[in-house]
Amino acid sequence: MKAAVISFPGSNCDEDLVYALQLAGHEAELVRSTATQLTDFDAVLLPGGFSYGDYLRSGAIAKFAPIMPALKQFAAAGGLVLGICNGFQILTEAGLLPGALQCNEKLNFICEAEPLTVVNNATSFSNQYAAGASITLPIAHGEGNYYADAATLAAIEANHQVVFRYADNPNGSLNDIAGLTNAAGNVLGMMPHPERAVEALLGGTDGLGVFASMASAIEGGTHDQRADA
């Protein structure tokens, strides 16, 4: 798998994500948000951080970055797109994922290892996990409280778009949602950081499954499969 990691001004997890992908055996390179093309990549990843400082609202400025038209074109063509933390917020701001991320329920910044449940292992981002698997990934955010209106939330659930749910729901997210895909299944946003759980030195390797799943889907030509968990 050859992956592009988009680096926005303020991104602070971009180098970590490149390192994690390379550690997992994949090709990865940084692509500046000022670029206008995404050719010759199998997947595009948006890292965590504070794009443009997030002074207005998380992801609100990044959605206007020069790279975004190419990203939308890549996603529309069925390419795999993964947004992590701030990357998730950018994807919702850009309209590539439904709903929004708002301030955590208790208005606090949370930085801790968080238990999750893999509720749908039939996606391009989770096929290497067992159905119903319990995994632990770090979270670090102040605006990870997932929200969608009732009709949107019902559609998300009916279409099995929720991939990860929190076991203890640390931020007040509706339906314990920690990560979900678009309706087509080729764009995933998740608040937990898989790139921070790729070697024992970091406390665990549960994050490797996300990258292995993407590579498996690409190599198998099944990245457009829909889940029916």
Side-chain angles (χ1 to χ4, degrees):
M1 177 172 72
K2 182 179 180 181
V5 175
I6 308 301
S7 180
F8 298 90
S11 294
N12 62 14
C13 299
D14 46 358
E15 297 279 1
D16 296 347
L17 187 51
V18 169
Y19 172 80
L21 286 162
Q22 293 175 341
L23 182 74
H26 309 296
E27 292 186 58
E29 63 181 72
L30 285 180
V31 175
R32 299 297 178 190
S33 61
T34 52
T36 56
Q37 293 186 359
L38 287 167
T39 56
D40 300 325
F41 291 105
D42 299 312
V44 179
L45 292 84
L46 279 61
F50 298 89
S51 55
Y52 298 91
D54 278 348
Y55 294 114
L56 178 61
R57 186 178 64 248
S58 296
I61 301 301
K63 71 179 178 181
F64 297 113
I67 194 64
M68 294 306 288
L71 177 66
K72 291 180 178 179
Q73 184 177 23
F74 185 87
L80 293 188
V81 176
L82 168 61
I84 301 168
C85 198
N86 190 226
F88 188 5
Q89 295 159 343
I90 294 170
L91 290 175
T92 58
E93 287 285 341
L96 290 172
L97 286 174
L101 284 307
Q102 56 186 4
C103 291
N104 294 343
E105 188 173 44
K106 296 182 180 178
L107 304 181
N108 55 342
F109 187 92
I110 306 171
C111 182
E112 60 188 19
E114 191 64 31
L116 309 170
T117 301
V118 181
V119 295
N120 186 345
N121 73 333
T123 79
S124 298
F125 306 91
S126 59
N127 58 69
Q128 295 300 298
Y129 294 108
S134 296
I135 63 174
T136 299
L137 297 179
I139 62 171
H141 58 249
E143 299 176 34
N145 181 358
Y146 183 78
Y147 173 81
D149 61 60
T152 300
L153 191 62
I156 289 169
E157 296 288 0
N159 198 37
H160 306 295
Q161 291 172 231
V162 179
V163 180
F164 304 108
R165 294 191 202 274
Y166 295 111
D168 301 321
N169 200 351
N171 51 31
S173 290
L174 290 179
N175 290 15
D176 304 326
I177 291 174
L180 80 166
T181 71
N182 62 345
N186 66 306
V187 178
L188 172 74
M190 59 188 297
M191 290 309 297
H193 288 260
E195 83 280 9
R196 296 184 183 179
V198 295
E199 52 188 339
L201 182 65
L202 298 176
T205 60
D206 285 348
L208 288 171
V210 173
F211 308 126
S213 295
M214 295 174 69
S216 177
I218 290 167
E219 292 166 4
T222 59
H223 66 275
D224 59 347
Q225 70 186 65
R226 281 304 314 139
D228 190 21

